[in-house]
Amino acid sequence: WIKFEEKVEQGGERWSKPHVATLSLHSLFELRTCMEKGSIMLDREASSLPQLVEMIVDHQIETGLLKPELKDKVTYTLLRKHRHQTKKSNLRSLADIGKTVSSASRMFTNPDNGSPAMTHRNLTSSSLNDISDKPEKDQLKNKFMKKLPRDAEASNVLVGEVDFLDTPFIAFVRLQQAVMLGALTEVPVPTRFLFILLGPKGKAKSYHEIGRAIATLMSDEVFHDIAYKAKDRHDLIAGIDEFLDEVIVLPPGEWDPAIRIEPPKSLPSSDKRKNMYSGGENVQMNGDTPHDGGHGGGGHGDCEELQRTGRFCGGLIKDIKRKVPFFASDFYDALNIQALSAILFIYLATVTNAITFGGLLGDATDNMQGVLESFLGTAVSGAIFCLFAGQPLTILSSTGPVLVFERLLFNFSKDNNFDYLEFRLWIGLWSAFLCLILVATDASFLVQYFTRFTEEGFSSLISFIFIYDAFKKMIKLADYYPINSNFKVGYNTLFSCACVPPDPANISISNDTTLAPEYSPTISSTDMYHNTTFDWAFLSKKECSKYGGNLVGNSCNFVPDITLMSFILFLGTYTSSMALKKFKTSPYFPTTARKLISDFAIILSILIFCVIDALVG
């Protein structure tokens, strides 16, 4: 299926002309039952077919749908090498936005598929799927690639009958990112969806029809949108119900199902169906909807939010009406463990951001705006914005461009003798006033003319500034606490640093009163030359300079370990957070534990390295 179905007849070597798929109503109802009872796995991460199959089989065993002793047999069956019907032909075609269903049951009915005892040996044999994630030569030469839009993704449907199952094995998977699954699809298109139906012997035709049903649904524009956005099983079932609402049944005996219906010259618009669907209860489904293939780079579409009302504050009023039903749920939906990791992460990201930019702002504005102001501003504006903007998910904080602006403004004020803070207040008030005018006049409809390029340009700039600042801080550390590159192990005796009193010899130095570093003298330098006696050797570096002493020794300029330790903490935090993030797809621990560790990856890394830092002292 690309838009229409194509078949290879038994013994045939080429694909038929595209034709309208004719489905039996019974197969659609059976598909609905499959969706109700099978494993639905959305937004999973997998990089290869074996990993994906293992994930599906483990999920079935965990949920009690599959007996653990059948794991090897099912895995073996699903990893059998996929022989495309048209391998011999020069006229190859596409089995799909990747459906490879046509007479797929042949894969499993062959009695020589290997007895269970041979399973482990056979898992490495040539009868298994080419599990590399790179496309085969045949796939790359496939002429059908020209007919596909550039960002096409495949959904593979695998159906068949086996002799070792008593109940059907059903799985519908949507991957987080589309992945190349080797030679599974006939053309080298990355797979986003996978539907598997294995069942006991004797119902091959029924399974085949269910496979055709899901494949046809996936090539249906409205259902395909729902599949991308669905948050759970109910969304998918609602999508099938919507499809069933629109289905027209032809009574048997009054037409010949063997006659293929030609595709219409011009396709009827599916907008009406889309509007009816989005007007329903599932309007707030969120997911990565792919932008329409072939229409250029991801615009905003013709959505209601971006239409101009032409009335004073018309857009604002409509926004409030649209948002009120979901206002409370936006907050209480966050009361689950997965949201907690996101909340902690965003909190840390915002706090560290406020501190970092607060410090930089302080440097840029002679501390007129520093860490405290940055902190308070982020907290107050963030809270007000989350409560009243109908957007509790927007993260507010200072960014690079703001810093550049503040620096320029401060220098401008200084050069022209303006009061910087007063000037800054007026800029804030004017900005607020202009925002109100933009809201009142519906100016946000102009957003529809912005492309992804604008947004991603700014994102790249901000990301670059953050990365640059992190490295800049590390390099500054190396400046403050330089590494002693001339240090020789075993020659520790040569390295020392002592505080020596200033030249005038009349300073009385006595060993009676030795001051420990924590009881540093708080004496003005004029008093020092008179009555007080203390030990210069116990002064810290800062105090030595403060009281006019001299630092003598070749290790005075170096601080051992600080720079290297900082780099270890810096790179360690980054590496461990990346490793823990990928922990979701590792073979250790049960799925729930892996998911939890992956969700809390960044918090865990920060905590682990803060503890290491504290322990090392």
Side-chain angles (χ1 to χ4, degrees):
W1 284 255
I2 289 182
K3 269 204 169 80
F4 297 98
E5 183 177 24
E6 296 171 32
K7 280 184 177 154
V8 177
E9 300 305 342
Q10 202 62 42
E13 288 189 10
R14 50 181 249 134
W15 292 99
S16 67
K17 278 175 69 179
H19 55 272
V20 176
T22 47
L23 306 171
S24 74
L25 192 60
H26 189 59
S27 69
L28 283 166
F29 285 122
E30 284 191 311
L31 173 65
R32 193 181 187 283
T33 311
C34 287
M35 288 296 199
E36 281 173 346
K37 294 185 176 165
S39 294
I40 305 290
M41 301 164 72
L42 302 177
D43 295 330
R44 296 305 174 99
E45 284 180 30
S47 52
S48 65
L49 188 61
Q51 191 185 355
L52 183 53
V53 168
E54 189 194 3
M55 188 166 75
I56 296 167
V57 174
D58 287 348
H59 185 269
Q60 288 254 352
I61 292 169
E62 269 175 42
T63 48
L65 295 171
L66 181 71
K67 294 176 188 152
E69 59 269 23
L70 293 175
K71 177 176 177 174
D72 286 349
K73 289 185 185 178
V74 173
T75 307
Y76 172 68
T77 308
L78 292 175
L79 291 180
R80 291 304 303 271
K81 191 168 180 70
H82 204 93
R83 179 176 63 79
H84 289 289
Q85 197 77 338
T86 53
K87 265 284 154 70
K88 296 168 285 200
S89 159
N90 296 327
L91 286 152
R92 286 206 193 83
S93 142
L94 169 72
D96 184 74
I97 300 185
K99 316 299 176 299
T100 49
V101 193
S102 59
S103 85
S105 56
R106 67 183 161 27
M107 278 172 63
F108 309 120
T109 49
N110 179 352
D112 307 328
N113 263 9
S115 65
M118 295 161 54
T119 307
H120 284 296
R121 264 177 304 152
N122 277 15
L123 274 174
T124 53
S125 77
S126 60
S127 69
L128 287 190
N129 216 326
D130 166 24
I131 8 192
S132 71
D133 48 1
K134 293 188 175 60
E136 288 188 342
K137 279 184 187 160
D138 285 350
Q139 287 178 292
L140 293 168
K141 284 183 200 155
N142 202 316
K143 293 178 185 144
F144 238 83
M145 276 308 280
K146 291 177 189 160
K147 298 199 178 183
L148 290 181
R150 212 174 180 168
D151 47 2
E153 292 175 343
S155 54
N156 279 296
V157 178
L158 303 174
V159 299
E161 54 174 11
V162 285
D163 48 15
F164 52 79
L165 286 175
D166 304 326
T167 53
F169 174 97
I170 304 155
F172 178 88
V173 184
R174 178 177 72 203
L175 294 172
Q176 181 90 44
Q177 298 293 335
V179 175
M180 291 299 284
L181 296 181
L184 192 59
T185 42
E186 194 184 338
V187 279
V189 172
T191 295
R192 174 65 79 104
F193 296 94
L194 184 68
F195 177 82
I196 297 172
L197 167 59
L198 292 182
K201 284 263 188 209
K203 295 181 93 181
K205 186 158 187 352
S206 166
Y207 304 149
H208 185 74
E209 288 305 311
I210 294 170
R212 286 185 61 241
I214 182 70
T216 306
L217 274 166
M218 289 305 293
S219 55
D220 172 67
E221 218 176 305
V222 177
F223 183 82
H224 146 284
D225 266 7
I226 292 166
Y228 268 104
K229 294 181 191 173
K231 285 196 282 190
D232 53 30
R233 184 190 305 272
H234 304 300
D235 291 339
L236 291 167
I237 293 170
I240 297 176
D241 289 343
E242 188 280 333
F243 186 83
L244 282 166
D245 287 344
E246 298 294 315
V247 160
I248 292 165
V249 177
L250 294 170
E254 295 182 21
W255 71 295
D256 181 3
I259 296 169
R260 289 181 184 159
I261 303 170
E262 290 274 323
K265 288 277 186 289
S266 63
L267 288 175
S269 166
S270 60
D271 288 351
K272 189 176 163 204
R273 274 175 69 199
K274 280 185 178 169
N275 291 342
M276 275 170 65
Y277 184 73
S278 59
E281 60 198 353
N282 294 299
V283 70
Q284 83 280 30
M285 289 194 299
N286 46 14
D288 302 328
T289 30
H291 54 266
D292 291 343
H295 297 304
H300 296 268
D302 192 21
C303 57
E304 191 198 353
E305 288 88 338
L306 294 178
Q307 284 171 4
R308 192 149 183 253
T309 59
R311 295 193 306 278
F312 181 75
C313 287
L316 175 65
I317 293 161
K318 283 179 88 173
D319 263 350
I320 292 169
K321 283 179 185 166
R322 255 195 309 271
K323 195 67 206 175
V324 164
F326 310 116
F327 187 78
S329 70
D330 277 346
F331 291 92
Y332 64 71
D333 280 352
L335 301 176
N336 76 35
I337 194 78
Q338 257 186 304
L340 179 67
S341 70
I343 291 166
L344 286 173
F345 170 59
I346 289 171
Y347 173 74
L348 283 180
T350 316
V351 164
T352 48
N353 192 9
I355 292 170
T356 311
F357 274 99
L360 294 169
L361 264 178
D363 296 343
T365 61
D366 284 356
N367 279 330
M368 286 194 174
Q369 279 197 72
V371 176
L372 197 64
E373 287 81 357
S374 173
F375 223 85
L376 205 63
T378 307
V380 173
S381 60
I384 291 172
F385 192 87
C386 289
L387 287 170
F388 297 109
Q391 272 285 20
L393 290 178
T394 305
I395 305 157
L396 293 184
S397 55
S398 304
T399 52
V402 173
L403 183 68
V404 174
F405 170 72
E406 297 289 2
R407 186 179 285 129
L408 292 172
L409 189 70
F410 181 74
N411 292 336
F412 179 77
S413 307
K414 212 157 70 173
D415 296 344
N416 293 285
N417 297 326
F418 293 150
D419 183 330
Y420 164 69
L421 287 177
E422 205 174 286
F423 193 16
R424 187 68 193 79
L425 171 70
W426 276 109
I427 288 173
L429 292 172
W430 272 104
S431 301
F433 175 64
L434 292 172
C435 275
L436 290 173
I437 289 176
L438 292 175
V439 169
T441 54
D442 274 3
S444 58
F445 84 97
L446 294 168
V447 169
Q448 64 189 319
Y449 301 114
F450 293 0
T451 60
R452 281 265 292 273
F453 178 78
T454 323
E455 297 169 30
E456 287 177 6
F458 270 102
S459 301
S460 312
L461 171 71
I462 289 164
S463 307
F464 176 75
I465 288 171
F466 270 110
I467 295 166
Y468 163 78
D469 269 338
F471 280 102
K472 188 171 149 194
K473 208 167 187 103
M474 298 310 292
I475 290 160
K476 262 191 179 169
L477 263 177
D479 257 5
Y480 284 128
Y481 306 117
I483 298 164
N484 187 356
S485 50
N486 298 319
F487 184 83
K488 290 193 183 88
V489 179
Y491 286 87
N492 309 33
T493 47
L494 304 180
F495 295 96
S496 64
C497 181
C499 179
V500 176
D503 275 346
N506 58 352
I507 298 170
S508 55
I509 296 166
S510 147
N511 286 330
D512 303 342
T513 323
T514 55
L515 292 165
E518 58 267 31
Y519 302 114
S520 51
T522 49
I523 304 151
S524 70
S525 44
T526 46
D527 289 352
M528 229 171 67
Y529 295 107
H530 300 108
N531 316 333
T532 322
T533 58
F534 61 77
D535 195 337
W536 284 85
F538 281 95
L539 295 184
S540 70
K541 215 163 143 179
K542 256 190 186 162
E543 288 157 359
C544 188
S545 319
K546 186 175 165 189
Y547 298 128
N550 301 315
L551 291 167
V552 177
N554 50 3
S555 66
C556 287
N557 295 328
F558 302 110
V559 180
D561 308 337
I562 287 188
T563 303
L564 290 174
M565 187 62 188
S566 300
F567 270 98
I568 289 170
L569 294 171
F570 171 72
L571 295 169
T573 309
Y574 172 74
T575 314
S576 93
S577 65
M578 294 305 279
L580 291 175
K581 198 90 190 134
K582 289 183 183 149
F583 199 73
K584 197 187 278 182
T585 52
S586 75
Y588 312 107
F589 300 123
T591 317
T592 321
R594 291 205 302 254
K595 201 167 181 309
L596 211 61
I597 290 171
S598 173
D599 287 341
F600 285 87
I602 291 164
I603 310 292
L604 280 173
S605 308
I606 293 173
L607 289 178
I608 290 166
F609 281 88
C610 282
V611 168
I612 291 172
D613 188 25
L615 290 177
V616 172

